[in-house]
Amino acid sequence: MLFFQPLLNRVPIRKLFLLIAVSLLLPTISPAFDTKAGGFRAAVVKVDITPEGHQMLLGYGARRSTGVYDKIYHRIVVMDDGKTQFVMVSSDICVMSPTEYDKVAARLSKELGIAPVNFWWTLTHTHSAPEVGPPGLPELFMGERYRHKFDSDYTEVVERKLIEAVREARNKLAPARLGVGWGLSNANINRRGKGVDGKAFLGMDPDGAVDRRIGLIRLEKADGSPLALLGNYPIHGTVMGGENLLISGDAPGVVAEYVEQQVGAPMLFINGAAGNLAPIYSVYPSPQAGKLHQFKVLLGDKVIAANKNLKATTDQVTLKSGGITVETPRKEGLGWLPYLSDYTRTTKAGVNLVRLPVRFLHINDDIAIWSAPLELFCEISNEVRDRSPYPYTFYYGYTNGWLGYLLTEAEIPHGGYEVTVSPFSPSAGKDLTDAVVNHLQGKK
């Protein structure tokens, strides 16, 4: 009673009892105000983008589809930590111009208020999917493939379905949990074959550099049931070659569909540094000849195993996005396309530079994801991962456009196809690696 004595001297007894009653109630009602509006939420949407008619396919020489082997999709995940809302889109498309990404990013910003830094659009790199938007840099290297106009109607369908799906996913946001882990698959192989003269060609090099890690992020509903998987693995979508005229997601699409059937939730297949990595069965004339179904076992079952081995998830999630622009000299004598002017500049000394937009997503203190509009050689992403202070460092390739192959300096003297479709000078690999590692080490 000594504690209340000063109050008794100043406060009428009825008011005192009221104060005591309210104080006793506060612990009971305070959790309602200790809001988890900042708690982690997520949602996923999968939408069919298979065209109704025949389309020009992208990935080999100019050719028109004659039918559909399997459907192609947008798969969209939206994550929200209460401060940052992040949109991840994986589409069964080969490559696209950065200007196509810029166009859709501008629409998302205007219509939904999503900042471009929080919108990543990554492509699975299947070579059996339709063109979307203008060709971009490939027009500079392989103009003979692009003498036709791209289908603006189909492009508009792809854009509209993406934006509608993002809107739907935002409306479906619900409490969620996140986990991360690694897996391993031997479904890929270095494709830079070399002859006795040291010259490279598109073949197989079992002794060449490779990256066979699966980087897996799992999203769960609040009750622990599966919501979505984000599976990151580097592999060309080239099980089927240029003779194939059927629309297909190729190995990435088949693997994603299979995993979804087994797990019961959508899987975003996110390609990695696949610039010099092919599927172990590559460029066959048909799905049957290329044993496309076997990738369900070679890669799909490995994703499922990684998911089973991922034991811990959390609802305490913080998202931090950002980006840098890496400038590196352009290959000598190479021209440029006017509508890609935002991706180059010339110094006062007359040096032409390529301007590479690199994005980052940091999840809590242990996950760092970086992306670039590149067909990157795996040695570069391997080195970044080895030097990163984050235990889980993933590279998301073919993201927000395509600005060509980026090789290591050691591989350039061997020549080969990739050198002919690269706009970069030999220093680009080091320039990119140093910039990304410096960012990651500085953030940590």
Side-chain angles (χ1 to χ4, degrees):
M1 195 55 142
L2 292 175
F3 174 78
F4 292 110
Q5 191 63 44
L7 283 173
L8 286 170
N9 294 335
R10 300 193 309 270
V11 182
I13 193 68
R14 288 169 60 187
K15 289 188 177 180
L16 177 61
F17 285 145
L18 180 61
L19 286 170
I20 294 171
V22 169
S23 68
L24 291 173
L25 283 172
L26 279 175
T28 303
I29 64 175
S30 61
F33 297 98
D34 183 19
T35 178
K36 284 223 171 185
F40 181 59
R41 299 181 300 155
V44 61
V45 171
K46 176 181 174 182
V47 58
D48 190 342
I49 58 169
T50 311
E52 294 182 357
H54 305 304
Q55 290 287 323
M56 297 299 294
L57 302 179
L58 185 62
Y60 301 108
R63 67 207 200 281
R64 185 175 294 275
S65 67
T66 59
V68 175
Y69 178 72
D70 54 71
K71 292 184 176 182
I72 58 175
Y73 298 92
H74 289 316
R75 293 173 173 90
I76 294 100
V77 159
V78 177
M79 297 183 287
D80 189 322
D81 69 356
K83 294 182 179 179
T84 299
Q85 194 168 96
F86 186 85
V87 177
M88 185 78 222
V89 179
S90 172
S91 301
D92 292 318
I93 298 169
C94 185
V95 296
M96 65 182 173
S97 170
T99 57
E100 176 63 21
Y101 163 79
D102 291 338
K103 178 183 176 184
V104 174
R107 287 182 61 179
L108 280 174
S109 178
K110 180 179 179 180
E111 297 179 26
L112 300 180
I114 298 170
V117 73
N118 292 325
F119 164 53
W120 293 15
W121 187 4
T122 185
L123 308 181
T124 64
H125 200 50
T126 170
H127 282 43
S128 297
E131 301 171 339
V132 174
L137 210 57
E139 182 180 354
L140 187 66
F141 299 123
M142 301 167 285
E144 72 282 356
R145 297 188 185 184
Y146 302 99
R147 293 174 181 169
H148 59 276
K149 292 183 178 180
F150 72 90
D151 189 332
S152 58
D153 291 338
Y154 177 66
T155 296
E156 170 57 29
V157 169
V158 169
E159 295 170 355
R160 174 175 50 79
K161 286 189 173 183
L162 188 155
I163 292 168
E164 289 174 352
V166 172
R167 181 181 285 110
E168 179 184 350
R170 293 180 78 187
N171 291 336
K172 291 170 59 178
L173 283 168
R177 302 176 64 86
L178 184 145
V180 62
W182 292 109
L184 183 69
S185 167
N186 294 321
N188 63 16
I189 190 168
N190 190 298
R191 70 176 197 171
R192 296 264 293 170
K194 297 182 178 71
V196 292
D197 60 358
K199 297 301 180 182
F201 54 88
L202 293 177
M204 292 186 182
D205 181 5
D207 300 318
V210 74
D211 178 11
R212 291 186 167 135
R213 288 202 197 184
I214 300 167
L216 187 68
I217 291 176
R218 182 170 78 209
L219 296 174
E220 296 176 345
K221 299 175 185 177
D223 63 5
S225 60
L227 177 64
L229 298 179
L230 285 73
N232 176 215
Y233 185 79
I235 187 170
H236 256 75
T238 54
V239 172
M240 293 180 286
E243 297 172 76
N244 171 66
L245 301 178
L246 299 177
I247 290 172
S248 172
D250 206 273
V254 166
V255 168
E257 283 286 293
Y258 172 71
V259 171
E260 290 172 356
Q261 293 167 7
Q262 302 302 310
V263 173
M267 172 184 159
L268 279 68
F269 190 106
I270 301 173
N271 220 319
N276 52 347
L277 300 179
I280 60 171
Y281 301 113
S282 202
V283 294
Y284 284 82
S286 69
Q288 295 75 24
K291 303 174 182 61
L292 185 59
H293 65 90
Q294 193 180 347
F295 286 87
K296 297 177 182 179
V297 175
L298 293 169
L299 182 51
D301 280 346
K302 305 306 185 292
V303 173
I304 293 168
N307 183 49
K308 289 180 179 177
N309 290 332
L310 198 163
K311 304 300 184 184
T313 61
T314 179
D315 60 0
Q316 301 300 304
V317 177
T318 300
L319 308 171
K320 294 181 181 179
S321 58
I324 59 174
T325 299
V326 178
E327 294 190 333
T328 186
R330 197 197 307 170
K331 184 188 295 182
E332 288 188 15
L334 181 69
W336 204 253
L337 297 168
Y339 65 91
L340 290 176
S341 59
D342 288 344
Y343 296 90
T344 190
R345 77 176 181 91
T346 303
T347 68
K348 291 181 179 179
V351 178
N352 293 319
L353 302 175
V354 180
R355 306 186 74 243
L356 271 175
V358 179
R359 298 277 178 82
F360 297 90
L361 177 64
H362 302 270
I363 305 177
N364 294 343
D365 294 325
D366 53 356
I367 305 171
I369 307 171
W370 65 287
S371 69
L374 291 170
E375 199 140 0
L376 191 66
F377 271 34
C378 68
E379 297 96 315
I380 296 171
S381 68
N382 287 350
E383 181 178 350
V384 169
R385 185 173 61 211
D386 290 344
R387 295 171 61 188
S388 170
Y390 292 81
Y392 298 96
T393 301
F394 304 148
Y395 170 68
Y396 285 9
Y398 308 98
T399 300
N400 303 342
W402 188 85
L403 287 173
Y405 282 84
L406 201 156
L407 299 75
T408 60
E409 185 170 3
E411 279 295 314
I412 292 176
H414 295 289
Y417 167 73
E418 297 89 351
V419 174
T420 67
V421 287
S422 173
F424 303 104
S425 72
S427 67
K430 185 176 187 304
D431 292 342
L432 178 64
T433 302
D434 289 347
V436 173
V437 169
N438 287 341
H439 176 88
L440 294 176
Q441 293 180 347
K443 281 290 181 181
K444 197 69 173 178

